[in-house]
Amino acid sequence: MPKQTSVLLIYTGGTIGMIQDIKTGQLRPFDFAHLTEQIPELKKFDIRLSAISFDKPIDSSDMSPDVWLKIAKIIESNYSRHDGFVILHGSDTMAFTASALSFMLQNLQKPVILTGSQLPIGIIRTDGKENLITAIEIAAAKHKGKPVVQEVCIYFEYRLYRGNRTHKVNAEHFNAFQSPNYPVLAEAGVHLNYNSAALFRPAKSKLKIFTSLNADIAILKLFPGITPNAVNAILNTKALKAVILETFGAGNCSTQAWFLDALKSAAKKGILILNITQCNAGSVEQGKYETSAGLESIGVISGADMTTEAAVAKLMFVLGNFKTAKEIRKQMKVSLRGEMTLAADRFKSKEF
Ligand code: ASP
């Protein structure tokens, strides 16, 4: 008899795991050991489900690198026993966690699917049931004996996304996520339709987890009128190793001398500056306009079409695991887990 597919659920917290207390009407986390009472449909699956729940489930606004480490270690120690993993997580910072795990879990050859919901599972109109049921189905899906998905993804409202390509874009709609710069990996309708050409394929080596993350980074989001005080306060943050410069459009910024001088002196101190666009979609193209030409000469690295969430996670990962400035810069310029489209690939796919 073929071995039954096994999926491990990891419950970290968030709205999905909440039920309404009958007496007080307040939302509280439900006991995960009684998951099938809340979703009896799960009993119909021919999948062996196991669950690990955080002792104290958290709202994902309290997510931190320490918790990412805890999740990565749970996956590592259960890796050989399960065919796939579903992480239940608040949607607010889900894109950050998915990005971080994508970097921390190198050579991942099994699905790690994050999901959550906008309405608690104990509420009649919840979106949580469908999200969880389909996430489990994706985590168990195999083709010719191999997992269909071999990367960290987010499943939300009938769509499967590459985790490090997503943004949370809506605090109200069930359709809360987008992957503006990378195709959807699967759509759930009557059938689960996978976009096989878009799925990530890792190196066929043993899973390696990286446990060192360096959070000495900052985000400097530009706006017309930003003052030298604000810019200098961020660039002079104690122990700062890298800054994400959230620029306008295709990576543009002010050409005022005080601003470029501030960036220059930060770069001279060894602070890495990464250019990420404030736009929801599209890519940084340093040098396309005069307003970004100066950045190139300062040594600012183009983040191409990376999301801010992926940029935060990648910087923490790269700073935590690579020693020399040369090596750190090299890693930031390549796509490690499918998190960015390099210029060469961007134009390859277009027909003129
Ligand atoms: N505040 C919640 C969280 O991110 C929202 C959600 O679960 O979607 O934990």
Side-chain angles (χ1 to χ4, degrees):
M1 208 174 77
K3 166 181 151 289
Q4 199 186 23
T5 305
S6 156
V7 171
L8 178 65
L9 308 181
I10 304 166
Y11 174 53
T12 67
T15 303
I16 190 165
M18 304 273 172
I19 48 170
Q20 211 158 17
D21 192 285
I22 299 170
K23 283 189 203 133
T24 64
Q26 279 170 348
L27 292 174
R28 58 169 171 79
F30 73 85
D31 180 355
F32 220 67
H34 299 136
L35 180 64
T36 49
E37 278 168 27
Q38 294 301 325
I39 317 181
E41 293 89 334
L42 293 179
K43 288 188 206 143
K44 294 189 186 159
F45 265 142
D46 185 21
I47 297 169
R48 188 157 47 86
L49 291 178
S50 322
I52 291 179
S53 173
F54 278 16
D55 291 340
K56 282 207 179 93
I58 56 170
D59 185 291
S60 80
S61 303
D62 277 326
M63 198 40 73
S64 67
D66 284 349
V67 185
W68 293 337
L69 199 60
K70 182 169 160 181
I71 302 172
K73 285 191 169 160
I74 293 176
I75 293 174
E76 184 188 38
S77 55
N78 287 282
Y79 194 67
S80 59
R81 279 195 291 273
H82 301 278
D83 300 281
F85 301 84
V86 172
I87 303 174
L88 289 104
H89 191 289
S91 60
D92 291 348
T93 64
M94 192 184 282
F96 287 93
T97 299
S99 299
L101 290 175
S102 77
F103 296 113
M104 295 165 84
L105 303 169
Q106 193 181 36
N107 307 324
L108 181 71
Q109 283 170 46
K110 295 183 179 184
V112 172
I113 315 295
L114 286 99
T115 196
S117 66
Q118 297 278 57
L119 277 178
I121 215 127
I123 301 267
I124 296 179
R125 286 179 53 249
T126 186
D127 50 329
K129 279 193 186 182
E130 197 288 320
N131 284 349
L132 178 56
I133 290 169
T134 309
I136 294 171
E137 221 177 313
I138 293 168
K142 299 229 175 125
H143 179 66
K144 296 188 179 160
K146 297 251 161 32
V148 174
V149 174
Q150 303 181 17
E151 59 182 298
V152 179
C153 296
I154 287 182
Y155 179 77
F156 225 88
E157 190 65 5
Y158 303 108
R159 294 210 172 106
L160 182 72
Y161 307 96
R162 172 164 302 157
N164 58 31
R165 290 290 197 152
T166 55
H167 281 302
K168 181 171 179 180
V169 291
N170 205 309
E172 164 75 20
H173 292 170
F174 288 157
N175 191 359
F177 286 88
Q178 260 177 20
S179 164
N181 287 327
Y182 197 75
V184 166
L185 302 182
E187 287 210 64
V190 173
H191 301 287
L192 253 172
N193 285 316
Y194 291 94
N195 179 357
S196 0
L199 295 169
F200 188 77
R201 284 296 172 251
K204 300 251 170 301
S205 302
K206 209 172 157 270
L207 175 75
K208 177 168 180 199
I209 79 152
F210 289 84
T211 54
S212 176
L213 296 172
N214 185 336
D216 285 323
I217 65 170
I219 299 179
L220 172 51
K221 182 168 184 156
L222 301 184
F223 56 89
I226 193 167
T227 62
N229 282 346
V231 169
N232 287 321
I234 292 182
L235 294 178
N236 290 308
T237 303
K238 208 169 151 213
L240 188 69
K241 297 276 181 308
V243 65
I244 294 169
L245 191 63
E246 270 206 8
T247 53
F248 310 120
N252 306 313
C253 63
S254 163
T255 53
Q256 292 182 74
W258 70 263
F259 177 73
L260 294 174
D261 286 347
L263 292 186
K264 241 180 250 168
S265 69
K268 253 203 203 124
K269 282 194 279 179
I271 295 169
L272 184 149
I273 308 170
L274 182 67
N275 188 351
I276 298 287
T277 176
Q278 293 179 12
C279 292
N280 186 37
S283 183
V284 164
E285 287 181 61
Q286 268 181 191
K288 181 175 177 187
Y289 291 89
E290 209 180 10
T291 43
S292 68
L295 298 179
E296 204 64 22
S297 57
I298 293 170
V300 173
I301 295 177
S302 164
D305 61 352
M306 241 191 311
T307 59
T308 297
E309 292 88 330
V312 164
K314 187 171 180 178
L315 278 174
M316 288 190 190
F317 164 75
V318 169
L319 291 170
N321 295 285
F322 296 88
K323 294 273 167 298
T324 66
K326 198 173 161 207
E327 190 57 25
I328 289 169
R329 293 179 70 81
K330 188 174 147 207
Q331 296 295 322
M332 291 309 299
K333 288 180 185 173
V334 293
S335 179
L336 300 173
R337 311 278 191 268
E339 72 280 6
M340 65 186 201
T341 321
L342 299 171
D345 298 328
R346 206 151 21 96
F347 297 120
K348 218 190 295 169
S349 58
K350 280 191 188 150
E351 283 178 23
F352 293 99

